Amino acid sequence: MIVRLMGEGQLDVAADDLAALNTLDSELEAAIDSGDEATFRAALHALLENVRKVGKPLPADSLAPSELILPPADAHIDEVRSMLGDEGLIPD
């Protein structure tokens, strides 16, 4: 799965890593629902760090379409809330 980290580029994330990312995505959703900024910030950073850890960077000139777009680490809680779909940022 090709994931774009806004402001950072694209990463290729293996299907085997999606379950762990979905767990972090669920934690992010819960933090957004609670409105707790500190918990939201920690959950967003954990999700992004994990994507960076498991993903393989694509070349900057890659034209591969992104299947997922994740917000930057400094995104506001309302900005991320508006990006959430029925399945969060990362579909099951």
Side-chain angles (χ1 to χ4, degrees), residues 18-36:
L18 292 179
L21 295 179
N22 274 315
T23 299
L24 294 168
D25 186 38
S26 295
E27 292 171 10
L28 178 62
E29 282 185 85
I32 290 171
D33 289 343
S34 75
D36 181 334

Side-chain angles (χ1 to χ4, degrees), residues 7-82:
E8 295 183 41
Q10 291 178 302
L11 299 147
D12 186 6
V13 175
D16 292 347
D17 294 313
L18 292 179
L21 295 179
N22 274 315
T23 299
L24 294 168
D25 186 38
S26 295
E27 292 171 10
L28 178 62
E29 282 185 85
I32 290 171
D33 289 343
S34 75
D36 181 334
E37 180 71 29
T39 303
F40 159 74
R41 187 74 38 216
L44 177 59
H45 282 258
L47 175 62
L48 296 176
E49 283 300 317
N50 197 280
V51 170
R52 288 183 198 109
K53 180 176 138 186
V54 301
K56 295 180 179 125
L58 296 181
D61 61 350
S62 172
L63 298 175
S66 299
E67 297 169 80
L68 293 174
I69 299 175
L70 298 179
D74 62 351
H76 187 272
I77 192 170
D78 291 331
E79 179 182 1
V80 178
R81 183 181 288 121
S82 72

